[in-house]
C-alpha cells in the first residue's frame, strides 16, 4: 500500500473527496476505524508547537464504540498541521466540538477505499444489486474528465439506466479474485502506520505504546511477517520480542 498511497489519495480526491482527510488521519495516527468514527475536536489538545489526541477505551459515544480493543485510554501525538486541517473541516461542515468529524458508515468508507485502490490498478467497480460489476479502464483514472467519471458511474438512481458491459460477479471474494490483487481493508492504514515507524527506526517500545494492542505480543505476531518481507535485519524481531516481554 505504501508505494501506491500517493496515487490512491489523488484518485480519492476525484472519486470520494469526502473521505481523503479521514484516511489521512488513519495513516498518521494508527487509529482503528471505530476510533476514527468516534472522533471529534474535543478529543484533541493543541499547543503552540504540538498537538495530541486522547483515545478512549471501549467508550460508547451516542451508540458508537471508541476503542473496542484498546486496554486503556491513551494520548497520541498528532501533527499540528493535520489538526489544523481537521479544524477547517469541522468549520466547513458546521460541526460543534463534540460533533463527529467523520459520520459516514463503516461500509460506505470501506467501499470508497476499495474503489480507489482498484481504480489505481485499472478497475472500476459498480455495486449493482446483487453482485459487483467490474469495468476495465482503458486509460488512467486520473486522465478521465469529470464527465467521463460520471459516465462510468451509470447507473445512477436518477437515470434508470443499466450497464451490461464489464464482468458481473456475485460476491466481493469473486471481485478480488477477478481483479487479481490482494483484498484491502481500512485496517491497512493501521499496519502502514506501524510499519512506517519501524522502517524509520522508531524505538520499538514507542511503537508498542502507540499501537495500543490489548495483547502487546500482537506486534511481534503481525510485524514479524512485515520485517521478513522487507528484508530488514532479523535482529529487529528480537528487539520487538524483548520490548513485548518488558512491557
Amino acid at each position: 500500500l505504501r508505494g501506491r498511497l500517493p496515487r490512491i489519495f489523488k484518485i480519492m480526491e476525484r472519486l470520494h473527496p469526502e473521505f481523503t482527510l479521514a484516511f489521512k488521519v488513519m495513516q498518521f495516527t494508527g487509529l482503528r476505524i471505530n476510533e476514527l468514527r468516534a472522533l471529534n475536536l474535543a478529543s484533541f489538545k493543541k499547543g503552540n508547537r504540538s498537538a495530541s489526541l486522547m483515545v478512549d477505551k471501549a467508550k460508547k459515544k451516542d451508540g458508537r464504540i471508541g476503542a473496542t480493543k484498546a486496554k486503556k485510554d491513551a494520548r497520541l501525538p498528532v501533527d499540528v498541521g493535520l489538526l489544523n486541517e481537521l479544524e477547517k473541516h469541522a468549520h466547513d461542515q458546521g460541526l460543534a466540538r463534540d460533533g463527529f468529524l467523520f459520520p459516514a458508515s463503516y461500509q460506505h468508507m470501506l467501499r470508497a477505499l476499495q474503489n480507489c485502490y482498484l481504480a489505481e490498478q485499472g478497475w472500476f467497480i459498480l455495486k449493482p444489486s446483487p453482485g459487483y460489476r467490474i469495468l476495465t479502464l482503458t486509460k488512467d483514472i486520473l486522465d478521465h474528465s469529470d464527465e467521463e467519471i460520471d459516465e462510468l458511474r451509470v447507473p445512477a438512481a436518477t437515470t434508470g439506466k443499466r450497464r451490461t458491459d464489464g464482468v458481473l460477479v456475485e460476491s466481493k471474494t469473486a471481485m478480488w479474485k477477478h481483479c487479481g490483487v490482494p483484498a484491502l481493508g481500512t485496517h491497512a492504514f493501521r499496519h502502514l502506520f506501524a510499519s512506517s515507524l519501524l522502517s524509520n527506526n522508531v524505538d520499538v517500545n514507542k511503537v508498542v505504546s502507540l499501537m495500543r494492542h490489548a495483547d502487546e505480543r500482537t506486534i511481534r505476531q503481525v510485524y514479524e511477517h512485515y520485517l521478513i518481507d522487507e528484508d530488514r535485519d532479523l535482529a529487529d524481531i528480537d528487539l520487538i520480542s524483548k520490548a513485548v516481554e518488558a512491557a
Side-chain angles (χ1 to χ4, degrees), residues 47-211:
N48 291 331
R49 295 185 177 182
S50 63
S52 59
L53 161 65
M54 175 60 75
V55 181
D56 299 330
K57 63 176 181 179
K59 182 177 179 181
K60 281 194 175 183
K61 299 181 179 181
D62 294 341
R64 294 169 183 241
I65 298 293
T68 55
K69 293 184 178 179
K71 69 176 185 179
K72 58 185 178 181
D73 294 345
R75 186 166 290 281
L76 307 178
V78 177
D79 179 72
V80 173
L82 180 60
L83 179 52
N84 289 339
E85 289 187 60
L86 290 169
E87 289 175 334
K88 182 179 184 303
H89 169 76
H91 179 269
D92 293 345
Q93 298 296 316
L95 298 174
R97 283 191 61 79
D98 60 351
F100 295 123
L101 290 167
F102 305 110
S105 71
Y106 164 69
Q107 288 298 332
H108 194 178
M109 296 181 72
L110 176 62
R111 190 175 302 131
L113 173 62
Q114 292 176 340
N115 285 350
C116 295
Y117 171 64
L118 289 171
E120 193 270 337
Q121 297 177 78
W123 309 97
F124 197 88
I125 310 300
L126 295 173
K127 180 63 181 76
S129 182
Y132 299 82
R133 186 169 294 280
I134 306 169
L135 309 178
T136 301
L137 296 174
T138 57
K139 62 180 179 180
D140 191 314
I141 186 66
L142 292 175
D143 292 335
H144 285 68
S145 66
D146 291 342
E147 292 76 14
E148 288 173 326
I149 289 176
D150 288 341
E151 283 295 318
L152 286 172
R153 285 173 164 157
V154 172
T158 55
T159 66
K161 295 181 180 178
R162 289 185 176 275
R163 297 196 77 115
T164 57
D165 53 343
V167 175
L168 183 64
V169 297
E170 295 182 352
S171 67
K172 187 168 286 189
T173 299
M175 176 191 77
W176 290 115
K177 183 177 180 179
H178 177 85
C179 294
V181 297
L184 178 73
T186 59
H187 214 65
F189 285 95
R190 184 165 165 80
H191 295 314
L192 178 63
F193 173 74
S195 62
S196 296
L197 293 175
L198 291 169
S199 65
N200 283 282
N201 299 314
V202 174
D203 182 77
V204 175
N205 290 285
K206 185 65 174 178
V207 178
V208 169
S209 174
L210 292 172
M211 291 298 288

Side-chain angles (χ1 to χ4, degrees), residues 208-222:
V208 169
S209 174
L210 292 172
M211 291 298 288
R212 300 166 291 111
H213 288 116
D215 182 350
E216 291 168 338
R217 288 173 296 182
T218 302
I219 201 162
R220 175 186 173 123
Q221 296 166 355
V222 173

